[in-house]
Amino acid sequence: MVDLYTLSEAELGDLLVGWGEKRFRARQIRAWLYERGAMSFDGMTDLSKALRERLAAETTLGSLEVVTEQASRDGTVKRLLRLHDGQLVESVLMPYRDGRRTACISSQAGCAMACVFCATGQMGFARHLTSTEIYEQALRFSQELTLRGERLSNVVLMGMGEPFHNYEAVLEAIRRLMGELGIGARHITVSTVGLVPMIRRFAEEGLQVTLAVSLHEVDDTARSALMPINRRWPVAELLAACKDYTDASGRRVSFEWALIAGRNDDDATADRLGRALAGIPCHVNLIPLNPTGGYDGAPTEVPQAERFIEVLARHGVPATVRVRRGIDIDAGCGQLKSKVLARRTPAAGPQA
Ligand code: SAH
């Protein structure tokens, strides 16, 4: 059975012509799926009943199966999805008061980057997602929102996995988000641990996608202890690539900083960070650490987070504390999967 979500318009046209149908039916079907929120063929009333039945019998729509779904009091919806081979990934939808509807999607099952504080990093790497598996996570939210008269407005690649370790598939998924779901490049964010050659390659794509870089420390020894990737591409090289990305894209870079009490949240660290970022058009997103099973750090309290912002401001570096969404439903990276696995196999650790 062919998954229609994997077909381009031309490929779907070929399939339909092979069935004796008109080629333009491909455009009609894709409009139903990608613009009108259809999740089955039943409602595609401008197609003949025979065509709808044949589509239902010989094709599928997507491959992701929702295993569990949790809704938070703030409206955040977090789902655990099973891929065709049993791998599990997470995706999250976050509604905001200003009308934005942001999907956070995964690019890999597990992750090879091994950041010590990250639930996904603690699981290890299972496999890359295909571009369709990445795209379908956002598509599903988009379809559900469309049926409620709402619209998916933003997508962040901040779920499980390192997007730039799965570069081609991620780029293809981004192109489909833009082309098929009508989400502007500026409303798409790719978050990376800092794979410098891929940041440089991404700059050459000429897209205005927002680049988010997980920094967390600005001193090489300290950063390497949290993020092993830093031994390969140290801070100075990373920041130089970020600066070049801002020149190429005309966009500010977002730096992610998990605030860990007593580790990277003191005034002196904020001051070093401010000095390092001065001259790079950027914004710092401070995220109080989400505690995870495999790391015994604690989140910074509000007053110290505010001091951190103040010190950065002295260097002209804007920073905000990211509102923690869905914190009551384990909506931190990899946390829902960790919990489900722990519940199923109480004796095992958080291994994927
Ligand atoms: N691999 C990519 C994208 C996924 S993680 C990256 O690292 O950028 C999205 C963000 O959540 C990253 O900034 C990551 O460092 C951060 N993060 C992961 N675990 C966290 C935790 N326990 N607490 C706070 N932030 C965390």
Side-chain angles (χ1 to χ4, degrees):
M1 293 248 265
V2 58
D3 175 4
L4 284 201
Y5 295 159
T6 66
L7 301 184
S8 66
E9 187 174 324
E11 289 165 339
L12 178 55
D14 292 343
L15 178 78
L16 293 169
V17 168
W19 290 359
E21 296 284 342
K22 295 273 192 298
R23 182 169 288 277
F24 74 86
R25 297 286 175 208
R27 183 180 297 265
Q28 255 175 319
I29 292 168
R30 286 164 61 86
W32 277 111
L33 298 174
Y34 303 144
E35 291 159 36
R36 302 170 78 171
M39 286 183 271
S40 74
F41 300 109
D42 306 338
M44 299 188 182
T45 45
D46 50 5
L47 305 181
S48 70
K49 190 150 180 288
L51 176 55
R52 276 182 274 155
E53 283 173 359
R54 184 153 188 195
L55 285 165
E58 297 183 30
T59 71
T60 59
L61 294 174
S63 65
L64 307 183
E65 184 201 330
V66 178
V67 180
T68 59
E69 184 167 277
Q70 293 175 270
S72 166
R73 267 180 288 159
D74 63 18
T76 301
V77 172
K78 169 134 187 161
R79 43 176 72 137
L80 185 67
L81 301 166
R82 185 183 295 117
L83 310 180
H84 69 85
D85 59 353
Q87 289 294 334
L88 300 173
V89 298
E90 301 172 17
S91 64
V92 185
L93 181 71
M94 296 164 284
Y96 292 89
R97 283 215 187 85
D98 63 7
R100 273 180 302 145
R101 298 287 177 269
T102 301
C104 175
I105 61 177
S106 297
S107 56
Q108 297 175 320
C111 185
M113 300 298 122
C115 300
V116 297
F117 51 84
C118 175
T120 310
Q122 292 158 17
M123 291 169 195
F125 178 71
R127 73 162 168 90
H128 293 303
L129 266 57
T130 65
S131 61
T132 302
E133 287 169 333
I134 299 168
Y135 171 70
E136 190 186 332
Q137 297 169 58
L139 173 63
R140 281 181 86 123
F141 286 129
S142 172
Q143 289 167 329
E144 291 159 12
L145 287 166
T146 301
L147 293 178
R148 303 207 295 256
E150 298 176 25
R151 197 183 154 264
L152 182 65
S153 60
N154 296 67
V155 175
V156 297
L157 281 131
M158 288 191 181
M160 300 172 76
E162 166 52 40
F164 282 171
H165 183 211
N166 188 14
Y167 186 92
E168 304 284 353
V170 163
L171 185 65
E172 169 66 12
I174 288 173
R175 291 198 192 282
R176 296 187 68 183
L177 295 174
M178 293 166 52
E180 293 170 5
L181 299 187
I183 299 171
R186 289 161 179 263
H187 296 129
I188 299 172
T189 300
V190 177
S191 181
T192 178
V193 293
L195 303 184
V196 166
M198 295 300 141
I199 293 174
R200 296 197 173 283
R201 184 166 162 198
F202 198 60
E204 284 169 18
E205 308 289 349
L207 300 171
Q208 291 205 308
V209 169
T210 302
L211 179 69
V213 173
S214 301
L215 200 55
H216 306 312
E217 285 281 8
V218 73
D219 164 79
D220 275 320
T221 308
R223 189 165 187 267
S224 295
L226 284 183
M227 305 179 71
I229 198 67
N230 191 72
R231 287 181 219 129
R232 189 95 166 264
W233 290 293
V235 174
E237 277 180 53
L238 174 56
L239 294 184
C242 292
K243 174 72 170 66
D244 291 345
Y245 187 82
T246 66
D247 290 339
S249 65
R251 307 277 296 148
R252 285 174 185 228
V253 172
S254 279
F255 289 106
E256 314 281 304
W257 192 279
L259 282 169
I260 309 170
R263 174 128 192 191
N264 66 354
D265 67 345
D266 55 294
D267 295 10
T269 303
D271 192 58
R272 271 202 302 278
L273 175 61
R275 262 184 283 130
L277 298 188
I280 304 178
C282 69
H283 179 272
V284 176
N285 264 323
L286 300 167
I287 318 149
L289 182 79
N290 269 319
T292 53
Y295 180 69
D296 67 356
T300 298
E301 302 290 338
V302 173
Q304 186 53 33
E306 284 170 353
R307 285 187 60 97
F308 204 90
I309 292 175
E310 245 173 66
V311 175
L312 288 176
R314 283 184 221 142
H315 294 274
V317 174
T320 45
V321 177
R322 191 194 285 161
V323 185
R324 291 210 276 170
R325 304 287 309 225
I327 199 65
D328 53 330
I329 54 166
D330 302 303
C333 183
Q335 290 186 314
L336 182 61
K337 176 174 170 183
S338 305
K339 194 158 144 184
V340 168
L341 289 176
R343 233 188 272 129
R344 282 190 190 155
T345 50
Q351 291 299 314

